[in-house]
Amino acid sequence: MWGMPHEDEALRQGLRELTTTDPVRALVAQDARRARREYPLTVLAGPMFGVAEELGADWRVITLGEATPQCSRDDLAGHLRMEARAAAEPEPYLAAARVLDWERHDELAVAGRRFRIIRVEQLLRLNLDGEPEPPRPTDPDPRTPPVPRYEVLAAPRHEMQDPPGREDPAEAEAAELAVRFAEAVDLPGTDGELVRADALRAELSHPVPVPMIPVFSVAEYLHDGWRSATAACPTPQRAREALAEYLQQVAPVVERVDERTRSAYDEAAGRLLAGRLDELAVCGRRFRIVRVEKAARFGEDGPEPPRPSDFDPDPPVEVLALRLRAEGIIED
């Protein structure tokens, strides 16, 4: 009973938005409010890294999804070589790519263009029972893979706030994420001192989280909770397909299952795809398609680059090649 007035007001606000604003925008806003209510806990799932190019105040994301900054530096070198093919003067692009082959750089200016390796936080929403949030009804979920497109990171613009009384879903989400990030930094005992110090510095240097397009993954429930089982996918359907591929092709080989289990896995994969399910139980195992939120932190100079404490074990490709030759692992 204590929650009824809040629920009634949320309903009235949603109805007002449906009749006075873009209906799609209103539904997305309602979905976001519901998610914040039903999945009030957030946990950081670790960063991903990518390449972005400055476009005025905004930044165009060229690649995203790498586990380490060096992988994204290698991606940038490849992108610069592709740009060289279409450029009237290719040498600046090729020269910059050669630099990245030997040196670590998280920002480069090439032919009047500015590129940066960016750090993007991944977050999972949980309910009070520790269950991760599945895809939302308003999340795009096409059966066929979407056409790849660039995502644009819009820099925060305070002068473009909506009129009072009208919630902008992105602004509401950014405000909540700022609070969640601060709470995550204050959790004791989860990270080393260097990681914590870097996170505290990021709150000052890049204080504004900018929500990005979510991705989707497969999680499996183990004895101590949910664990990610696949890489990030652009749509819930692609995550379902990844789980089906695992059940039909990977698990039978890796686990060396008997014919009965193999048949059960194959049947479950069929049910998963035919029913476009977001949760699946098979042979005592439980899987769920989960929604993974992304957010880039912005400061006055743009999106946050990698932090010193980020996992980044590999050297540039030519340095690695020299090391492997010296160790006799590869030959010229």
Side-chain angles (χ1 to χ4, degrees):
M1 293 298 294
W2 287 104
M4 289 299 292
H6 171 77
E7 297 294 331
D8 289 345
E9 175 53 33
L11 177 60
R12 283 194 295 270
Q13 182 177 351
L15 290 174
R16 285 198 301 271
E17 288 176 343
L18 282 170
T19 57
T20 62
T21 67
D22 178 2
V24 174
R25 173 184 170 133
L27 288 173
V28 170
Q30 283 185 295
D31 223 8
R33 284 194 294 270
R34 179 195 56 78
R36 292 195 291 269
R37 184 174 63 251
E38 296 180 5
Y39 296 87
L41 308 177
T42 52
V43 295
L44 298 182
M48 65 170 65
F49 301 90
V51 177
E53 180 183 0
E54 186 178 29
L55 297 175
D58 301 331
W59 291 73
R60 181 181 66 158
V61 179
I62 298 170
T63 67
L64 187 62
E66 299 289 3
T68 69
Q70 185 56 46
C71 287
S72 286
R73 297 183 196 108
D74 295 339
D75 289 343
L76 176 54
H79 177 73
L80 292 173
R81 289 186 166 96
M82 291 293 294
E83 290 288 326
R85 295 182 182 181
E89 297 184 15
E91 184 52 33
Y93 295 97
L94 296 175
R98 289 192 293 268
V99 168
L100 288 172
D101 289 342
W102 289 96
E103 302 173 8
R104 286 184 168 185
H105 293 275
D106 291 331
E107 186 163 322
L108 284 177
V110 184
R113 300 164 65 180
R114 186 184 182 194
F115 299 91
R116 176 177 293 181
I117 307 303
I118 60 171
R119 184 185 199 274
V120 172
E121 296 279 12
Q122 300 180 87
L123 304 97
L124 292 174
R125 290 186 181 271
L126 308 177
N127 63 19
L128 296 180
D129 293 325
E131 302 275 339
E133 182 187 12
R136 298 177 185 175
T138 51
D139 287 327
D141 191 14
R143 286 186 178 273
T144 57
V147 177
R149 61 186 178 89
Y150 290 119
E151 183 173 358
V152 174
L153 277 172
R157 294 178 175 84
H158 298 293
E159 70 274 9
M160 294 180 66
Q161 301 263 348
D162 277 354
R166 178 176 160 189
E167 178 187 28
D168 184 299
E171 289 179 3
E173 195 170 2
E176 187 211 8
L177 287 176
V179 174
R180 299 297 187 187
F181 282 140
E183 291 174 347
V185 171
D186 290 333
L187 290 176
T190 54
D191 291 311
E193 285 303 311
L194 180 57
V195 173
R196 177 177 168 81
D198 274 354
L200 290 171
R201 277 193 293 270
E203 288 187 350
L204 299 176
S205 63
H206 297 82
V208 183
V210 174
M212 301 176 67
I213 297 172
V215 290
F216 303 87
S217 183
V218 176
E220 181 177 7
Y221 186 81
L222 303 177
H223 66 281
D224 59 347
W226 291 90
R227 293 291 182 272
S228 177
T230 65
C233 301
T235 64
Q237 181 63 15
R238 183 65 195 100
R240 295 183 197 106
E241 291 169 355
L243 176 55
E245 291 166 5
Y246 168 78
L247 292 172
Q248 292 175 318
Q249 302 174 26
V250 179
V253 176
V254 173
E255 300 171 12
R256 299 181 179 179
V257 300
D258 57 31
E259 191 59 36
R260 182 178 180 180
T261 302
R262 179 190 291 269
S263 177
Y265 280 173
D266 189 64
E267 186 272 337
R271 285 191 287 113
L272 174 73
L273 296 179
R276 293 168 65 83
L277 306 177
D278 291 332
E279 189 152 344
L280 183 72
V282 56
C283 296
R285 304 175 69 177
R286 184 182 172 198
F287 299 93
R288 174 176 289 190
I289 308 302
V290 297
R291 188 180 200 269
V292 183
E293 297 184 19
K294 312 195 308 285
R297 299 189 69 116
F298 259 75
E300 292 184 358
D301 67 334
E304 182 185 14
R307 300 175 185 174
S309 59
D310 286 328
F311 181 68
D312 194 15
D314 298 323
V317 291
E318 290 294 351
V319 176
L320 178 61
L322 282 179
R323 181 183 301 174
L324 295 177
R325 290 189 186 98
E327 295 174 357
I329 297 176
I330 63 172
E331 298 179 356
D332 289 328

